[in-house]
Amino acid sequence: MSHHKQPVLHRLGGSDMHKLYTRAGSGGFVVEAALEMAGVPYERVDVTKGVEPDDQFREVSPLGQVPAMVLPDGTAMTESAAIAQLISESYPYARLAPATDDAGRPDFLRWMAFQTSVIYPAILRIYYAPRYTTDPAGIEAVKAAAVAEVDRAFGIVDKALEGRQWLTGDHMSLADVYLLMVVCWHPEPRKAESAWPDIARVCAMLRDVPVIKDLNVRHELW
């Protein structure tokens, strides 16, 4: 998993394809899914967790976090949701997101932002609690509060899915793929089956999508 702030872009040397820095089980999952579903060729560079990033990777991702991508024109970009959205806009034929004039566009933007600003940071507080307190005795309290925040957020998403097939309406989008990813990061990933039935339904449909199923062989999200 990687932390989500504002997208960072700058120019590096150009290439004939996208170059994605990622690792199994990280937010690179949704970016890889976007590239695969759009049929876009890319080079994948696996970044080992816990190993100090080299200078070349730091130039692409100053925080040393994945995913990060260098576009064919040499632009370096970080933040999984921002990269995924750019891919959806660059390859509209893949229908990875509603078009700008589509009725589902506001929902797509809303839920992508909601997941990156509410759910993802709370998940980080669960798994990296020591980063969020200077009091060692407060670590468990940070985790407990984060789990409660994640559960509350999933409840909001689940309610929004009532009466609709996907988050943006009748067509799957990367917002749904992102949801599958963050649900799998929950400390109790099976909780969705009883607590959030519509989220569980969406996740079940996505797990049957061939591209998603194939990617999970490497990422092992479920």
Side-chain angles (χ1 to χ4, degrees):
M1 293 180 289
S2 65
H3 192 45
H4 284 74
K5 297 289 187 184
Q6 293 298 316
V8 178
L9 297 91
H10 60 280
R11 302 256 176 206
L12 300 172
S15 175
D16 59 351
M17 67 172 62
H18 297 73
K19 185 174 185 178
L20 176 64
Y21 293 84
T22 184
R23 75 168 60 94
S26 74
F29 177 84
V30 70
V31 177
E32 290 181 53
L35 290 165
E36 295 282 354
M37 289 191 285
V40 178
Y42 66 100
E43 176 187 357
R44 190 181 69 226
V45 179
D46 290 309
V47 178
T48 303
K49 187 173 184 178
V51 175
E52 181 64 24
D54 59 28
D55 292 341
Q56 183 179 11
F57 179 53
R58 282 286 188 184
E59 189 176 1
V60 179
S61 177
L63 289 175
Q65 296 170 343
V66 296
M69 191 163 71
V70 179
L71 308 179
D73 69 355
T75 300
M77 189 174 184
T78 65
E79 313 313 318
S80 58
I83 299 171
Q85 185 171 329
L86 180 68
I87 294 169
S88 73
E89 293 171 355
S90 300
Y91 306 96
Y93 60 81
R95 298 185 68 192
L96 301 177
T100 55
D101 59 349
D102 189 285
R105 184 69 175 186
D107 282 328
F108 173 75
L109 296 175
R110 174 191 180 186
W111 295 118
M112 287 294 278
F114 183 86
Q115 292 182 86
T116 57
S117 65
V118 178
I119 298 176
Y120 205 129
I123 288 174
L124 286 172
R125 293 196 297 275
I126 296 172
Y127 293 104
Y128 301 100
R131 296 180 183 176
Y132 299 93
T133 179
T134 58
D135 178 10
I139 289 176
E140 292 306 315
V142 169
K143 290 182 181 179
V147 170
E149 179 70 3
V150 169
D151 288 357
R152 184 173 75 92
F154 280 142
I156 291 169
V157 176
D158 192 66
K159 185 175 181 179
L161 280 165
E162 290 180 5
R164 58 172 57 196
Q165 187 172 14
W166 305 99
L167 279 171
T168 61
D170 296 330
H171 193 274
M172 182 187 75
S173 75
L174 292 177
D176 301 297
V177 179
Y178 210 101
L179 178 61
L180 169 65
M181 181 176 72
V182 293
V183 167
C184 289
W185 288 341
H186 192 286
E188 300 176 64
R190 299 293 297 272
K191 186 174 181 177
E193 296 174 11
S194 58
W196 312 297
D198 281 296
I199 288 179
R201 171 182 55 80
V202 166
C203 289
M205 290 191 293
L206 284 169
R207 285 194 292 268
D208 284 335
V209 174
V211 168
I212 302 297
K213 185 182 296 185
D214 290 345
L215 278 178
N216 192 56
V217 172
R218 193 173 80 85
H219 283 268
E220 297 183 332
L221 290 179
W222 65 86

